[in-house]
Amino acid sequence: MQTNNSQLFEQLHRQHYAMVHTVCMGFMKGEKELANDLSQEVFINIWNALEQFRNEAAYKTWIYRITVNTCLQYLRKERKIVKVTDETISLLQAPETADKNYKTLYTAIGQLNEIERLIIMMVLEEMPYNEISKIMGITETNLRVKIHRIKSTLKKILQHEE
Amino acid sequence: MKNEFEFLQKDWNSAKKETKANPEKASKIIGEAMARKKASIYFHYGNIMVLGAIAILILIYFLWLYPFEALLSKLGIGCMLLGLLVRIGGELISVRKFIKINIADTVIDNTIEWQQFLEFRKRMHGIFTIATIGLYTAGFFMLYPEIYKYFGSNILILLTGFYIIGAALLIRGIRPNIKKEMKDLEMITELKKELELV
């Protein structure tokens, strides 16, 4: 059983690492070190939840749910860390340490609140709206309203950037 | 907007393409996950084990090693044990609620599960703590007449001093965690509001 799970986990890690890590990068506003930690946290949770997987959803949707929930959990831990060391404060506040290649992307989505950031990343991932609403557990109407609002905010942010 | 969004989308896809999984990391994560699970079990059942050990010590010490004779003292031991049992019961419910939190649930369901768990923790820090401290302290004071009868007032003063210092240290030790949990509850409630907001 353990061997089967290990093989399955390694396969999921290989197939979905890029997706998870990109979400974590976006959530952490491009801070690579923090995103690496968060990605590891996501895969630890995936391993712990693997036995409960019931084939009710595709692996991608299931992993996305775990990723989003882990990001929101990490938020609480992150606030705790911020109080602990000055070094972490500078890490969280210093945009220059963020991945410079995608500065516009991370700066733009980094200005949204956490829920908005997670939703827009699923839109960028080109997930169908009904799937996003299933991950979030909100109605599609509510989701569409939120996406419309997020896109307007992003537009203002990007125009301001220019 | 279409162009601006397309630009972000392009960046997103390139960032994803550049990220490669390290196969060696998968087995390290499994090891880390297993170690954390073990630590989490010890952490959650640790409180219960400590409280259970105190209850057993009280039973052994006051009922068999130095048995009290007066009815009031026996009632006192009963109260102290009841206080500890209330706390153990609360901690067991708390662990059950924590285990029920499913990281693979929808975001709103996961948030509700966290909220329910933290609201129960709030009750634990309120009514459960008051009941535990109240019963334990009342029981402890019920032992005083018999202790005074056999050991005199000096021992009573010493015991009271130890009790107050012990209680103060305990409160100081658990306060940061209570504060953190209450802050978490505030955050979770805010998050839920944000999710439900149309």
Side-chain angles (χ1 to χ4, degrees):
Chain A
M1 183 72 178
Q2 169 92 40
T3 323
N4 285 346
N5 275 354
S6 300
Q7 280 169 356
L8 175 61
F9 179 77
E10 277 164 23
Q11 189 190 328
L12 292 176
H13 184 262
R14 204 170 43 244
Q15 284 173 352
H16 300 285
Y17 182 81
M19 175 189 86
V20 170
H21 192 265
T22 315
V23 172
C24 294
M25 279 290 273
F27 192 73
M28 289 301 185
K29 304 174 187 179
E31 298 285 354
K32 209 169 182 182
E33 287 300 313
L34 293 175
N36 288 346
D37 287 350
L38 185 54
S39 304
Q40 173 160 322
E41 203 69 30
V42 170
F43 278 99
I44 285 175
N45 285 334
I46 289 172
W47 168 260
N48 286 334
L50 205 53
E51 275 182 18
Q52 291 150 27
F53 182 75
R54 297 276 174 268
N55 281 314
E56 286 158 359
Y59 275 120
K60 188 181 171 183
T61 312
W62 183 75
I63 288 173
Y64 230 102
R65 276 207 299 253
I66 295 178
T67 307
V68 174
N69 284 327
T70 309
C71 285
L72 293 173
Q73 263 182 42
Y74 200 83
L75 200 66
R76 298 204 295 273
K77 282 187 193 171
E78 184 190 304
R79 293 210 171 158
K80 196 175 72 182
I81 294 165
V82 167
K83 284 176 192 162
V84 178
T85 64
D86 291 332
E87 196 191 310
T88 326
I89 295 172
S90 60
L91 253 180
L92 289 169
Q93 289 175 344
E96 62 270 20
T97 60
D99 191 335
K100 286 185 179 68
N101 294 334
Y102 302 105
K103 198 170 172 269
T104 313
L105 172 73
Y106 297 130
T107 311
I109 58 175
Q111 287 181 59
L112 302 168
N113 75 31
E114 291 78 16
I115 300 275
E116 291 173 337
R117 213 180 305 155
L118 288 164
I119 289 174
I120 205 65
M121 286 193 281
M122 285 186 260
V123 178
L124 289 169
E125 186 65 33
E126 289 175 279
M127 271 193 171
Y129 284 7
N130 67 338
E131 211 164 306
I132 302 175
S133 73
K134 272 184 202 160
I135 289 169
M136 299 304 287
I138 56 177
T139 61
E140 221 177 297
T141 320
N142 184 352
L143 179 78
R144 281 179 190 276
V145 175
K146 281 187 197 305
I147 291 174
H148 179 74
R149 206 181 301 141
I150 299 166
K151 282 189 171 176
S152 305
T153 314
L154 271 178
K155 189 179 179 181
K156 279 181 204 156
I157 294 167
L158 290 169
Q159 279 169 352
H160 186 74
E161 281 271 306
E162 285 163 11
Chain B
M1 178 64 206
K2 206 181 170 204
N3 284 345
E4 288 137 352
F5 198 76
E6 273 171 5
F7 173 75
L8 289 183
Q9 189 115 50
K10 219 177 108 199
D11 261 9
W12 178 266
N13 290 333
S14 317
K16 213 172 115 182
K17 258 185 206 154
E18 275 179 21
T19 313
K20 295 272 175 285
N22 178 355
E24 280 174 27
K25 256 201 154 182
S27 54
K28 275 187 191 160
I29 289 170
I30 295 174
E32 171 75 16
M34 283 169 152
R36 283 226 210 147
K37 204 169 190 178
K38 218 173 172 183
S40 164
I41 290 168
Y42 285 133
F43 176 77
H44 285 106
Y45 289 100
N47 266 349
I48 296 166
M49 278 174 351
V50 169
L51 292 167
I54 295 171
I56 291 166
L57 276 177
I58 289 174
L59 269 176
I60 294 171
Y61 195 82
F62 292 132
L63 290 181
W64 288 293
L65 285 178
Y66 296 97
F68 281 88
E69 287 159 359
L71 181 66
L72 186 68
S73 306
K74 286 177 180 165
L75 271 174
I77 294 166
C79 277
M80 287 167 81
L81 287 172
L82 190 64
L84 290 170
L85 285 178
V86 166
R87 188 77 201 181
I88 290 171
E91 291 290 347
L92 279 170
I93 298 171
S94 179
V95 170
R96 263 188 61 190
K97 281 190 183 289
F98 181 77
I99 291 169
K100 266 190 183 172
I101 298 173
N102 186 359
I103 192 82
D105 266 345
T106 65
V107 177
I108 191 92
D109 284 347
N110 186 261
T111 308
I112 291 168
E113 285 156 10
W114 269 107
Q115 195 184 26
Q116 284 170 346
F117 167 71
L118 290 165
E119 266 165 1
F120 184 76
R121 292 300 300 170
K122 193 179 174 183
R123 243 178 288 158
M124 280 286 287
H125 301 314
I127 191 79
F128 274 86
T129 305
I130 292 166
T132 305
I133 293 174
L135 280 165
Y136 196 87
T137 309
F140 188 68
F141 284 129
M142 284 182 198
L143 305 177
Y144 272 32
E146 204 169 337
I147 295 173
Y148 179 72
K149 192 176 158 190
Y150 292 106
F151 300 103
S153 58
N154 285 345
I155 292 290
L156 269 191
I157 293 166
L158 203 71
L159 274 177
T160 310
F162 279 137
Y163 191 78
I164 292 169
I165 292 167
L169 287 175
L170 189 75
I171 291 167
R172 215 185 134 177
I174 60 175
R175 241 187 111 173
N177 198 36
I178 296 176
K179 271 185 163 178
K180 191 204 155 277
E181 284 182 347
M182 292 309 99
K183 222 169 205 157
D184 284 353
L185 180 59
E186 263 174 44
M187 265 185 82
I188 281 284
T189 312
E190 277 300 308
L191 210 64
K192 194 172 157 255
K193 263 191 217 162
E194 172 72 28
L195 275 165
E196 287 168 340
L197 187 81
V198 184

